[in-house]
């Protein structure tokens, strides 16, 4: 049972062509000899001619995202992107936004590819203005020359990223977390069993429980500790409960600060003041746990090093570990939690897909209680294809972006430096011209030796972004989702017996409503 929404808007588009409703991208008319040459195209159209909603005098286009009077709701951004494509074509300009550069939506995956491949050694992702302000102004004293990767650009970003890249992405290090993530997941499944009501269903706020699982996983990776978020009956003033509250605040309010009219840039609104307090609390937690890891490392005799220990052992600066932990927690909590809400919803509402996953797990893990190993995970091709297919059809991060660092011709228009490009993967991943049988949910398309007619354009669905700036937590994210599915589906069947949920953007793209899954023993 697929969620309503984008399908209806995109399903009817034929492959490889644009429809009459979408104006032709001038790139198709300008007979470019080669994609690269397009950059210097002399016959490019001026930026001013690019189609898009017309700005109003003085207030530009920002009003379109305001409550009540605005025509676009933040919660409906995924649908809005699809509408922009339908109405204006492959390249759409949203200009005159108060307090921020113009946005240009690129719906042409070949053009997305060209931008990514030419982005140079220090790609600029326009993201999280509140975090930029917090790191570079409010807490300049703490971050100084080591501000991390999120909201940091140029050489400062490159220097930090090059120092943390290896420990975060090395497959061998990530694999050493299979056991710890499995332990956390076992506790979560135990809690799920205890939480069942008399119909065997999860409570209305089950998404909150998913957040606790993801916090516990991230704490294990970024802080080298078990935070205790999955303990029953947490007192309101306990550290785990405070971390959960702080994470929830970040999840619910950052979208409002970032996507609506940015009043906080001009006056310290109550929401902004709360945001700063919240961030200060995260710094406190990170500092405390990394200091403890440092003490443990000093007395450690042998054994494999964790990510945190590796960084502490290899780098002379403890600040690096504090700041990395903060970035991983800030970016990791929402993304993985919302991806898991979406994954479990799709699993519960697609019983035939779940049966196939179970068959794979029964084969790979004949003994339900056998601890998971890398060898087991390597064989879970269908389960991994399932995760990729959820992220293609319901891209948790609805799109990625890049600020142009030089003028560039895209879709036949000369776009000036400074404009923010948006690659709406939630739309392009579902376009019939980029994925065979795009509106069908087919995990098989991601497996080896699949039918080539099911191929997906490699730049149409990029859930973790691309290139030097690609998601730093992607290997951990995949590991956590694969372990959760393996443990859950091997032992239980997940069902959903309520009206279908709609997908909405609350910063991330996920099903909106009560996730009252029914958990049934196999
Ligand atoms: C399913 C879950 C996740 C999705 C879909 C996701 C997606 C993304 C995307 C699209 C980007 C931008 C990449 C680019 O600009 O090319 C990103 C960046 C990032 N992600 Fe993830 N992410 C996920 C989970 C995580 C987790 C669990 C962590 C931490 C453990 C994490 C840490 C980061 C960091 C630190 C960056 C910034 C990298 C940089 O700017 O150098 N992500 N993620």
């Amino acid at each position: 049972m697929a969620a309503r929404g984008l399908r209806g808007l995109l399903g009817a588009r034929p492959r490889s062509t644009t429809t009459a409703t979408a104006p032709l991208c001038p790139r198709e008319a300008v007979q470019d000899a080669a994609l690269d040459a397009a950059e210097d195209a002399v016959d490019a159209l001026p930026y001013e001619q690019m189609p898009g909603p017309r700005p109003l005098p003085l207030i530009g286009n920002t009003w379109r995202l305001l409550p009540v009077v605005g025509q676009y709701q933040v919660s409906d951004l995924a649908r809005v992107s699809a509408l922009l494509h339908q109405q204006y074509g492959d390249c759409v300009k949203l200009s005159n936004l108060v307090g921020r550069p113009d946005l240009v939506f690129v719906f042409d995956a070949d053009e997305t590819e060209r931008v990514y491949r030419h982005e140079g050694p220090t790609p600029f992702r326009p993201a999280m203005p509140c975090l930029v302000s917090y790191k570079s102004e409010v807490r300049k004293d703490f971050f100084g020359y080591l501000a991390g990767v999120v909201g940091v650009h140029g050489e400062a970003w490159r220097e930090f990223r090059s120092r943390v890249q290896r420990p975060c992405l090395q497959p061998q290090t990530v694999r050493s977390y299979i056991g710890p993530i499995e332990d956390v997941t076992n506790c979560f499944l135990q809690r799920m069993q205890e939480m069942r009501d008399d119909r065997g269903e999860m409570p209305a706020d089950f998404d909150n429980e998913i957040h606790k699982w993801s916090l516990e996983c991230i704490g294990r990776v970024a802080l080298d500790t078990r935070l205790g978020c999955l303990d029953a009956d947490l007192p309101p003033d306990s550290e785990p409960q405070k971390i959960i509250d702080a994470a929830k605040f970040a999840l619910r309010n950052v979208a409002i600060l970032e996507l609506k009219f940015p009043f906080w840039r001009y006056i310290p609104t109550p929401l902004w003041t709360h945001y700063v307090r919240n961030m200060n609390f995260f710094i406190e937690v990170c500092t405390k746990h990394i200091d403890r890891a440092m003490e443990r490392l000093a007395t450690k005799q042998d054994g494999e090093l964790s990510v945190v220990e590796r960084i502490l052992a290899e780098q002379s600066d403890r600040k690096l570990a504090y700041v990395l932990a903060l970035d991983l927690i800030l970016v990791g909590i929402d993304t993985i939690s919302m991806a898991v809400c979406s994954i479990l919803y799709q699993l519960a509402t697609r019983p035939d897909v779940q049966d196939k996953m179970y068959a794979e797990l029964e084969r790979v893990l004949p003994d339900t209680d056998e601890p998971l190993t890398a060898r087991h995970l390597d064989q879970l091709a269908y389960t991994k294809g399932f995760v990729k297919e959820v992220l293609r059809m319901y891209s948790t991060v609805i799109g990625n972006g890049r600020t142009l660092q030089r003028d560039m011709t895209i879709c036949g228009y000369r776009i000036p430096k400074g404009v923010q490009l948006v690659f709406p993967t939630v739309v392009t991943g579902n376009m019939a011209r980029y994925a065979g049988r795009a509106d069908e949910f087919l995990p098989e398309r991601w497996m080896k030796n699949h039918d080539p007619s099911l191929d997906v354009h490699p730049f149409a669905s990029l859930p973790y972004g691309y290139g030097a700036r690609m998601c730093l937590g992607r290997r951990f994210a995949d590991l956590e989702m694969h372990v959760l599915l393996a443990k859950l589906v091997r032992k239980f069947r997940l069902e959903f017996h309520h009206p279908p949920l709609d997908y909405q953007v609350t910063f991330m793209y996920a099903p909106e409503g009560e996730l009252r899954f029914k958990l049934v023993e196999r």
Side-chain angles (χ1 to χ4, degrees):
M1 191 192 308
R4 290 168 281 140
L6 290 173
R7 293 298 80 69
L9 285 166
L10 298 165
R13 286 181 66 81
R15 261 189 118 183
S16 326
T17 53
T18 39
T19 60
T21 50
L24 264 186
C25 164
R27 188 180 60 78
E28 290 166 24
V30 177
Q31 294 280 306
D32 277 329
L35 282 174
D36 290 356
E39 230 166 293
D40 303 306
V42 280
D43 47 357
L45 296 171
Y47 177 60
E48 293 65 37
Q49 285 184 24
M50 182 180 285
R54 284 167 72 92
L56 292 182
L58 296 177
I59 53 171
N61 263 317
T62 299
W63 69 276
R64 293 183 197 270
L65 286 170
L66 287 178
V68 190
V69 292
Q71 86 200 99
Y72 304 149
Q73 297 303 311
V74 168
S75 58
D76 228 7
L77 261 183
R79 217 175 140 74
V80 168
S81 303
L83 283 172
L84 286 176
H85 178 234
Q86 242 191 11
Q87 211 172 335
Y88 300 102
D90 277 352
C91 218
V92 184
K93 176 172 70 173
L94 202 56
S95 59
N96 293 51
L97 299 165
V98 176
R100 60 179 308 155
D102 290 1
L103 297 176
V104 167
F105 289 72
V106 181
F107 298 95
D108 180 326
D110 291 333
E111 291 293 71
T112 303
E113 172 169 11
R114 202 164 56 80
V115 174
Y116 273 134
R117 290 199 189 279
H118 285 77
E119 64 185 0
T122 55
F124 192 120
R125 186 185 54 248
M128 303 202 170
C130 328
L131 189 62
V132 175
S133 185
Y134 177 78
K135 282 182 170 181
S136 62
E137 292 162 28
V138 182
R139 290 304 308 271
K140 205 173 168 184
D141 59 313
F142 178 80
F143 293 97
Y145 64 97
L146 271 180
V149 287
V150 185
V152 179
H153 300 104
E155 279 311 311
W157 167 80
R158 185 151 70 152
E159 155 93 19
F160 196 99
R161 175 107 189 189
S162 66
R163 288 166 73 179
V164 299
Q165 167 108 346
R166 213 161 45 91
C168 287
L169 291 174
Q170 209 172 32
Q172 175 197 339
T173 318
V174 176
R175 284 175 169 221
S176 68
Y177 281 83
I178 297 174
I181 299 295
E182 186 180 14
D183 287 345
V184 172
T185 304
N186 283 338
C187 290
F188 178 58
L189 293 180
Q190 178 68 37
R191 261 186 79 78
M192 280 180 76
Q193 291 173 75
E194 291 159 7
M195 268 183 296
R196 281 185 283 201
D197 64 11
D198 47 11
R199 286 188 300 181
E201 293 190 350
M202 295 298 107
D205 65 345
F206 182 60
D207 60 321
N208 196 30
E209 300 300 320
I210 294 176
H211 276 83
K212 292 183 186 172
W213 166 83
S214 87
L215 264 178
E216 198 65 19
C217 289
I218 287 183
R220 194 62 188 75
V221 173
L223 300 172
D224 219 1
T225 194
R226 281 293 301 263
L227 292 169
C229 298
L230 292 168
D231 296 354
D233 305 323
L234 289 171
D237 59 345
S238 62
E239 185 182 87
Q241 188 57 52
K242 284 199 214 154
I243 297 178
I244 293 163
D245 294 343
K248 264 204 265 180
F249 172 85
L251 177 70
R252 311 261 147 90
N253 294 295
V254 169
I256 298 170
L257 284 168
E258 306 247 332
L259 299 174
K260 298 250 165 145
F261 193 95
F263 293 112
W264 59 272
R265 284 182 196 247
Y266 310 101
I267 44 164
T269 60
L271 199 57
W272 170 247
T273 311
H274 195 154
Y275 175 80
V276 170
R277 244 197 346 261
N278 211 46
M279 291 299 300
N280 287 342
F281 171 70
F282 274 128
I283 289 190
E284 211 180 283
V285 170
C286 292
T287 312
K288 183 173 92 185
H289 287 289
I290 299 291
D291 284 346
R292 286 188 188 159
M294 190 74 183
E295 283 160 27
R296 282 197 301 274
L297 184 65
T299 55
K300 192 161 184 163
Q301 302 292 323
D302 48 18
E304 262 189 68
L305 296 183
S306 67
V307 170
V308 172
E309 287 171 340
R310 205 168 286 270
I311 287 169
L312 289 170
E314 286 171 10
Q315 312 280 341
S316 54
D317 204 332
R318 197 184 290 200
K319 182 71 83 66
L320 195 84
Y322 298 154
V323 177
L324 173 66
L326 186 76
D327 272 1
L328 293 180
I329 289 175
L330 289 179
V331 188
I333 295 172
D334 299 6
T335 42
I336 188 91
S337 306
M338 299 316 263
V340 167
C341 289
S342 182
I343 277 171
L344 295 187
Y345 178 69
Q346 293 304 326
L347 184 76
T349 53
R350 297 181 185 276
D352 48 335
V353 170
Q354 193 173 161
D355 285 349
K356 286 187 194 170
M357 194 184 293
Y358 176 65
E360 177 176 81
L361 286 162
E362 215 184 9
R363 181 173 47 78
V364 175
L365 278 165
D367 172 4
T368 42
D369 294 320
E370 194 184 339
L372 277 179
T373 63
R375 193 180 52 81
H376 294 132
L377 293 179
D378 286 345
Q379 295 175 68
L380 300 182
Y382 187 83
T383 306
K384 291 178 183 179
F386 168 82
V387 171
K388 286 189 175 154
E389 190 67 344
V390 175
L391 294 178
R392 174 187 76 84
M393 287 186 89
Y394 310 93
S395 186
T396 307
V397 175
I398 59 170
N400 200 15
R402 291 289 184 259
T403 297
L404 274 185
Q405 299 184 74
R406 58 192 166 92
D407 296 359
M408 196 170 178
T409 300
I410 299 169
C411 279
Y413 294 96
R414 193 74 189 150
I415 305 182
K417 173 181 168 176
V419 164
Q420 296 183 354
L421 302 180
V422 180
F423 309 118
T425 43
V426 73
V427 177
T428 49
N430 285 286
M431 280 163 69
R433 71 170 126 142
Y434 296 133
R437 291 160 64 190
D439 51 359
E440 290 176 51
F441 189 92
L442 299 168
E444 293 83 356
R445 72 170 84 241
W446 301 101
M447 295 168 74
K448 262 194 199 147
N449 305 325
H450 67 267
D451 173 355
S453 72
L454 299 179
D455 275 355
V456 180
H457 187 299
F459 285 78
S461 170
L462 286 172
Y464 294 120
Y466 179 83
R469 202 130 202 181
M470 197 178 187
C471 176
L472 198 52
R474 68 186 183 277
R475 293 235 158 90
F476 284 107
D478 276 339
L479 178 71
E480 289 168 25
M481 293 186 286
H482 298 155
V483 169
L484 176 61
L485 284 172
K487 301 301 293 182
L488 175 71
V489 178
R490 181 65 187 87
K491 278 197 176 166
F492 304 96
R493 206 171 58 245
L494 203 64
E495 299 172 359
F496 189 73
H497 300 287
H498 299 275
L501 301 178
D502 235 340
Y503 270 61
Q504 280 196 358
V505 178
T506 45
F507 214 43
M508 299 296 145
Y509 189 56
E512 174 68 14
E514 296 176 353
L515 297 175
R516 286 187 175 274
F517 300 123
K518 182 170 180 178
L519 188 70
V520 185
E521 265 91 1
R522 287 203 182 261

